[in-house]
Amino acid sequence: KSKGLKKDLNQAACTRDVFSMVNPHGDWDNTTHDFHPFVWYHTLEDIHSLWTEDYFDYVVDIRGLTDIIFDDGTDDGLLLEGWETVHIPGSFPIDAIPADQPPENITMLVDFQSSNICKDSRIFVHCWSGISANKVAKSLIALGFTNVHAAGPAGSAGLWDWITAGYDVFRGDTFDPEDYVPSCIECDMPEEVPEEGGI
């Protein structure tokens, strides 16, 4: 995606609010948005601004690859689109659903947890509405990630809201694991030692 910077980044950073357990957003209902002390929270508008400015090293999409139907009590159920149907450009799918599983049970499609460099990278984590992503953000902290960012309030700050706001998405993709190896994993791969030649 094209990310031409049209504004002074230092000025933008000084006018952007960041929310946390220490500095909660006054309008977010703490009964629905459960803060974690080591996760950085932003409004969706600020998340998009940060994404446009290449602030995040990686966008991590916790959804699965394919669409699923969630039983919401209606006849048709609720369609939950998968990463291959629609996703934020440049995002990496990890398929961490169900979001409330114990952190040690998460098996990532793109294995960010295999690299300490990845764990120290600046990561924006998202889902459909923000509820599941908020849960997985806490799981990432438990797995040793140190710079996790999420949008809020949970329930109205996910991909659905991103699309409604008119932000960029990519539709109709196919996941190939060989094409989605983040550079932080490549940095941790041991260098191949050339074989010594014979005498």
Side-chain angles (χ1 to χ4, degrees), residues 85-114:
T85 297
V86 59
H87 62 82
I88 294 174
S91 65
F92 289 83
I94 63 169
D95 192 5
I97 300 296
D100 55 359
Q101 63 183 302
E104 62 273 15
N105 290 354
I106 295 176
T107 302
M108 296 185 183
L109 197 58
V110 176
D111 193 13
F112 280 90
Q113 63 182 328
S114 67

mmCIF file of all heavy atoms in Angstrom, residues 85-114:
data_model
loop_
_atom_site.group_PDB
_atom_site.id
_atom_site.type_symbol
_atom_site.label_atom_id
_atom_site.label_comp_id
_atom_site.label_asym_id
_atom_site.label_seq_id
_atom_site.Cartn_x
_atom_site.Cartn_y
_atom_site.Cartn_z
ATOM 1 N N THR A 85 -11.054 -13.754 2.869
ATOM 2 C CA THR A 85 -12.162 -12.984 2.300
ATOM 3 C C THR A 85 -11.856 -11.499 2.310
ATOM 4 O O THR A 85 -12.027 -10.801 1.306
ATOM 5 C CB THR A 85 -13.461 -13.251 3.074
ATOM 6 O OG1 THR A 85 -13.796 -14.640 2.939
ATOM 7 C CG2 THR A 85 -14.611 -12.401 2.542
ATOM 8 N N VAL A 86 -11.382 -11.002 3.436
ATOM 9 C CA VAL A 86 -11.071 -9.567 3.554
ATOM 10 C C VAL A 86 -10.100 -9.361 4.711
ATOM 11 O O VAL A 86 -10.236 -9.993 5.761
ATOM 12 C CB VAL A 86 -12.359 -8.730 3.756
ATOM 13 C CG1 VAL A 86 -13.124 -9.168 5.001
ATOM 14 C CG2 VAL A 86 -12.060 -7.238 3.788
ATOM 15 N N HIS A 87 -9.112 -8.504 4.493
ATOM 16 C CA HIS A 87 -8.176 -8.203 5.574
ATOM 17 C C HIS A 87 -7.510 -6.853 5.348
ATOM 18 O O HIS A 87 -7.562 -6.288 4.247
ATOM 19 C CB HIS A 87 -7.120 -9.307 5.723
ATOM 20 C CG HIS A 87 -6.245 -9.513 4.516
ATOM 21 N ND1 HIS A 87 -5.143 -8.738 4.241
ATOM 22 C CD2 HIS A 87 -6.304 -10.413 3.512
ATOM 23 C CE1 HIS A 87 -4.562 -9.154 3.137
ATOM 24 N NE2 HIS A 87 -5.249 -10.172 2.661
ATOM 25 N N ILE A 88 -6.899 -6.336 6.396
ATOM 26 C CA ILE A 88 -6.132 -5.098 6.303
ATOM 27 C C ILE A 88 -4.884 -5.391 5.480
ATOM 28 O O ILE A 88 -4.197 -6.396 5.732
ATOM 29 C CB ILE A 88 -5.758 -4.587 7.707
ATOM 30 C CG1 ILE A 88 -7.027 -4.182 8.471
ATOM 31 C CG2 ILE A 88 -4.794 -3.400 7.621
ATOM 32 C CD1 ILE A 88 -6.779 -3.796 9.918
ATOM 33 N N PRO A 89 -4.566 -4.566 4.489
ATOM 34 C CA PRO A 89 -3.373 -4.825 3.675
ATOM 35 C C PRO A 89 -2.115 -4.952 4.527
ATOM 36 O O PRO A 89 -1.881 -4.167 5.446
ATOM 37 C CB PRO A 89 -3.297 -3.582 2.765
ATOM 38 C CG PRO A 89 -4.704 -3.099 2.680
ATOM 39 C CD PRO A 89 -5.303 -3.374 4.034
ATOM 40 N N GLY A 90 -1.333 -5.982 4.227
ATOM 41 C CA GLY A 90 -0.087 -6.203 4.949
ATOM 42 C C GLY A 90 -0.228 -6.960 6.250
ATOM 43 O O GLY A 90 0.764 -7.202 6.936
ATOM 44 N N SER A 91 -1.454 -7.356 6.611
ATOM 45 C CA SER A 91 -1.649 -8.053 7.887
ATOM 46 C C SER A 91 -1.260 -9.519 7.785
ATOM 47 O O SER A 91 -1.278 -10.113 6.710
ATOM 48 C CB SER A 91 -3.102 -7.926 8.351
ATOM 49 O OG SER A 91 -3.966 -8.591 7.450
ATOM 50 N N PHE A 92 -0.914 -10.081 8.937
ATOM 51 C CA PHE A 92 -0.540 -11.492 9.042
ATOM 52 C C PHE A 92 -1.615 -12.239 9.826
ATOM 53 O O PHE A 92 -1.939 -11.855 10.953
ATOM 54 C CB PHE A 92 0.795 -11.643 9.776
ATOM 55 C CG PHE A 92 1.989 -11.187 8.990
ATOM 56 C CD1 PHE A 92 2.334 -9.846 8.954
ATOM 57 C CD2 PHE A 92 2.771 -12.095 8.283
ATOM 58 C CE1 PHE A 92 3.443 -9.407 8.235
ATOM 59 C CE2 PHE A 92 3.878 -11.674 7.560
ATOM 60 C CZ PHE A 92 4.208 -10.327 7.536
ATOM 61 N N PRO A 93 -2.171 -13.319 9.262
ATOM 62 C CA PRO A 93 -3.172 -14.093 10.014
ATOM 63 C C PRO A 93 -2.497 -15.043 10.999
ATOM 64 O O PRO A 93 -1.485 -15.674 10.668
ATOM 65 C CB PRO A 93 -3.880 -14.879 8.900
ATOM 66 C CG PRO A 93 -2.825 -15.099 7.859
ATOM 67 C CD PRO A 93 -1.939 -13.875 7.911
ATOM 68 N N ILE A 94 -3.032 -15.114 12.212
ATOM 69 C CA ILE A 94 -2.477 -16.088 13.161
ATOM 70 C C ILE A 94 -3.505 -17.121 13.608
ATOM 71 O O ILE A 94 -3.139 -18.125 14.198
ATOM 72 C CB ILE A 94 -1.843 -15.414 14.400
ATOM 73 C CG1 ILE A 94 -2.881 -14.641 15.226
ATOM 74 C CG2 ILE A 94 -0.675 -14.524 14.000
ATOM 75 C CD1 ILE A 94 -2.362 -14.191 16.588
ATOM 76 N N ASP A 95 -4.796 -16.895 13.339
ATOM 77 C CA ASP A 95 -5.853 -17.844 13.691
ATOM 78 C C ASP A 95 -5.783 -18.224 15.171
ATOM 79 O O ASP A 95 -5.480 -19.359 15.515
ATOM 80 C CB ASP A 95 -5.785 -19.081 12.797
ATOM 81 C CG ASP A 95 -7.030 -19.957 12.941
ATOM 82 O OD1 ASP A 95 -7.974 -19.546 13.652
ATOM 83 O OD2 ASP A 95 -7.065 -21.042 12.342
ATOM 84 N N ALA A 96 -6.063 -17.254 16.034
ATOM 85 C CA ALA A 96 -6.033 -17.481 17.487
ATOM 86 C C ALA A 96 -7.440 -17.606 18.054
ATOM 87 O O ALA A 96 -7.724 -17.191 19.163
ATOM 88 C CB ALA A 96 -5.290 -16.342 18.172
ATOM 89 N N ILE A 97 -8.322 -18.208 17.274
ATOM 90 C CA ILE A 97 -9.706 -18.426 17.686
ATOM 91 C C ILE A 97 -9.860 -19.869 18.153
ATOM 92 O O ILE A 97 -9.340 -20.774 17.481
ATOM 93 C CB ILE A 97 -10.669 -18.129 16.514
ATOM 94 C CG1 ILE A 97 -10.516 -16.662 16.073
ATOM 95 C CG2 ILE A 97 -12.106 -18.422 16.857
ATOM 96 C CD1 ILE A 97 -10.897 -15.640 17.116
ATOM 97 N N PRO A 98 -10.513 -20.150 19.277
ATOM 98 C CA PRO A 98 -11.254 -19.211 20.127
ATOM 99 C C PRO A 98 -10.325 -18.303 20.934
ATOM 100 O O PRO A 98 -9.255 -18.727 21.375
ATOM 101 C CB PRO A 98 -12.073 -20.122 21.046
ATOM 102 C CG PRO A 98 -11.310 -21.397 21.094
ATOM 103 C CD PRO A 98 -10.645 -21.546 19.755
ATOM 104 N N ALA A 99 -10.753 -17.078 21.114
ATOM 105 C CA ALA A 99 -9.915 -16.067 21.743
ATOM 106 C C ALA A 99 -9.710 -16.297 23.232
ATOM 107 O O ALA A 99 -8.753 -15.787 23.805
ATOM 108 C CB ALA A 99 -10.525 -14.681 21.515
ATOM 109 N N ASP A 100 -10.609 -17.068 23.862
ATOM 110 C CA ASP A 100 -10.498 -17.268 25.303
ATOM 111 C C ASP A 100 -9.748 -18.547 25.675
ATOM 112 O O ASP A 100 -9.741 -18.953 26.828
ATOM 113 C CB ASP A 100 -11.881 -17.260 25.951
ATOM 114 C CG ASP A 100 -12.824 -18.277 25.322
ATOM 115 O OD1 ASP A 100 -12.416 -18.978 24.372
ATOM 116 O OD2 ASP A 100 -13.985 -18.358 25.787
ATOM 117 N N GLN A 101 -9.095 -19.172 24.702
ATOM 118 C CA GLN A 101 -8.301 -20.358 25.034
ATOM 119 C C GLN A 101 -7.057 -19.939 25.826
ATOM 120 O O GLN A 101 -6.595 -18.807 25.718
ATOM 121 C CB GLN A 101 -7.876 -21.093 23.762
ATOM 122 C CG GLN A 101 -6.965 -20.291 22.834
ATOM 123 C CD GLN A 101 -6.642 -21.022 21.558
ATOM 124 O OE1 GLN A 101 -6.107 -22.119 21.606
ATOM 125 N NE2 GLN A 101 -6.996 -20.419 20.426
ATOM 126 N N PRO A 102 -6.516 -20.836 26.655
ATOM 127 C CA PRO A 102 -5.308 -20.489 27.415
ATOM 128 C C PRO A 102 -4.175 -20.104 26.464
ATOM 129 O O PRO A 102 -4.035 -20.698 25.384
ATOM 130 C CB PRO A 102 -4.984 -21.792 28.164
ATOM 131 C CG PRO A 102 -6.273 -22.542 28.218
ATOM 132 C CD PRO A 102 -7.004 -22.189 26.958
ATOM 133 N N PRO A 103 -3.370 -19.104 26.817
ATOM 134 C CA PRO A 103 -2.296 -18.647 25.927
ATOM 135 C C PRO A 103 -1.389 -19.777 25.435
ATOM 136 O O PRO A 103 -0.988 -19.808 24.272
ATOM 137 C CB PRO A 103 -1.514 -17.655 26.789
ATOM 138 C CG PRO A 103 -2.510 -17.150 27.776
ATOM 139 C CD PRO A 103 -3.430 -18.309 28.046
ATOM 140 N N GLU A 104 -1.093 -20.724 26.333
ATOM 141 C CA GLU A 104 -0.181 -21.808 25.953
ATOM 142 C C GLU A 104 -0.787 -22.746 24.913
ATOM 143 O O GLU A 104 -0.071 -23.544 24.290
ATOM 144 C CB GLU A 104 0.251 -22.611 27.186
ATOM 145 C CG GLU A 104 -0.866 -23.312 27.933
ATOM 146 C CD GLU A 104 -1.544 -22.451 28.991
ATOM 147 O OE1 GLU A 104 -1.354 -21.210 28.979
ATOM 148 O OE2 GLU A 104 -2.265 -23.024 29.830
ATOM 149 N N ASN A 105 -2.101 -22.659 24.681
ATOM 150 C CA ASN A 105 -2.746 -23.514 23.685
ATOM 151 C C ASN A 105 -2.806 -22.874 22.295
ATOM 152 O O ASN A 105 -3.210 -23.524 21.333
ATOM 153 C CB ASN A 105 -4.170 -23.861 24.123
ATOM 154 C CG ASN A 105 -4.201 -24.805 25.309
ATOM 155 O OD1 ASN A 105 -3.158 -25.292 25.741
ATOM 156 N ND2 ASN A 105 -5.365 -25.044 25.853
ATOM 157 N N ILE A 106 -2.416 -21.601 22.195
ATOM 158 C CA ILE A 106 -2.485 -20.911 20.904
ATOM 159 C C ILE A 106 -1.391 -21.436 19.978
ATOM 160 O O ILE A 106 -0.217 -21.435 20.333
ATOM 161 C CB ILE A 106 -2.353 -19.386 21.083
ATOM 162 C CG1 ILE A 106 -3.552 -18.831 21.863
ATOM 163 C CG2 ILE A 106 -2.220 -18.690 19.733
ATOM 164 C CD1 ILE A 106 -3.459 -17.353 22.174
ATOM 165 N N THR A 107 -1.810 -21.919 18.818
ATOM 166 C CA THR A 107 -0.870 -22.344 17.788
ATOM 167 C C THR A 107 -1.040 -21.383 16.621
ATOM 168 O O THR A 107 -2.036 -21.416 15.914
ATOM 169 C CB THR A 107 -1.152 -23.781 17.320
ATOM 170 O OG1 THR A 107 -1.085 -24.651 18.455
ATOM 171 C CG2 THR A 107 -0.126 -24.224 16.285
ATOM 172 N N MET A 108 -0.063 -20.506 16.422
ATOM 173 C CA MET A 108 -0.197 -19.440 15.445
ATOM 174 C C MET A 108 0.049 -19.927 14.024
ATOM 175 O O MET A 108 0.997 -20.668 13.768
ATOM 176 C CB MET A 108 0.770 -18.302 15.760
ATOM 177 C CG MET A 108 0.511 -17.611 17.072
ATOM 178 S SD MET A 108 1.596 -16.185 17.305
ATOM 179 C CE MET A 108 1.101 -15.671 18.945
ATOM 180 N N LEU A 109 -0.812 -19.485 13.116
ATOM 181 C CA LEU A 109 -0.649 -19.798 11.698
ATOM 182 C C LEU A 109 0.655 -19.210 11.182
ATOM 183 O O LEU A 109 1.417 -19.864 10.455
ATOM 184 C CB LEU A 109 -1.841 -19.231 10.929
ATOM 185 C CG LEU A 109 -2.103 -19.746 9.527
ATOM 186 C CD1 LEU A 109 -2.309 -21.252 9.533
ATOM 187 C CD2 LEU A 109 -3.329 -19.058 8.942
ATOM 188 N N VAL A 110 0.923 -17.956 11.520
ATOM 189 C CA VAL A 110 2.230 -17.338 11.302
ATOM 190 C C VAL A 110 2.846 -17.230 12.688
ATOM 191 O O VAL A 110 2.346 -16.513 13.547
ATOM 192 C CB VAL A 110 2.112 -15.949 10.642
ATOM 193 C CG1 VAL A 110 3.485 -15.307 10.517
ATOM 194 C CG2 VAL A 110 1.456 -16.062 9.267
ATOM 195 N N ASP A 111 3.920 -17.966 12.922
ATOM 196 C CA ASP A 111 4.392 -18.222 14.276
ATOM 197 C C ASP A 111 5.249 -17.094 14.845
ATOM 198 O O ASP A 111 6.460 -17.225 15.003
ATOM 199 C CB ASP A 111 5.158 -19.548 14.302
ATOM 200 C CG ASP A 111 5.409 -20.038 15.711
ATOM 201 O OD1 ASP A 111 4.789 -19.489 16.650
ATOM 202 O OD2 ASP A 111 6.228 -20.955 15.885
ATOM 203 N N PHE A 112 4.605 -15.983 15.177
ATOM 204 C CA PHE A 112 5.322 -14.847 15.752
ATOM 205 C C PHE A 112 5.964 -15.198 17.096
ATOM 206 O O PHE A 112 6.967 -14.604 17.468
ATOM 207 C CB PHE A 112 4.363 -13.664 15.943
ATOM 208 C CG PHE A 112 4.105 -12.876 14.698
ATOM 209 C CD1 PHE A 112 3.059 -13.215 13.850
ATOM 210 C CD2 PHE A 112 4.904 -11.808 14.349
ATOM 211 C CE1 PHE A 112 2.807 -12.494 12.698
ATOM 212 C CE2 PHE A 112 4.665 -11.072 13.197
ATOM 213 C CZ PHE A 112 3.614 -11.416 12.364
ATOM 214 N N GLN A 113 5.385 -16.160 17.820
ATOM 215 C CA GLN A 113 5.916 -16.451 19.151
ATOM 216 C C GLN A 113 7.202 -17.270 19.111
ATOM 217 O O GLN A 113 7.835 -17.481 20.139
ATOM 218 C CB GLN A 113 4.866 -17.159 20.007
ATOM 219 C CG GLN A 113 4.411 -18.498 19.513
ATOM 220 C CD GLN A 113 3.340 -19.092 20.411
ATOM 221 O OE1 GLN A 113 3.335 -18.870 21.618
ATOM 222 N NE2 GLN A 113 2.418 -19.831 19.832
ATOM 223 N N SER A 114 7.641 -17.681 17.918
ATOM 224 C CA SER A 114 8.883 -18.449 17.818
ATOM 225 C C SER A 114 10.122 -17.554 17.855
ATOM 226 O O SER A 114 11.243 -18.046 17.915
ATOM 227 C CB SER A 114 8.899 -19.262 16.520
ATOM 228 O OG SER A 114 8.967 -18.391 15.386
#
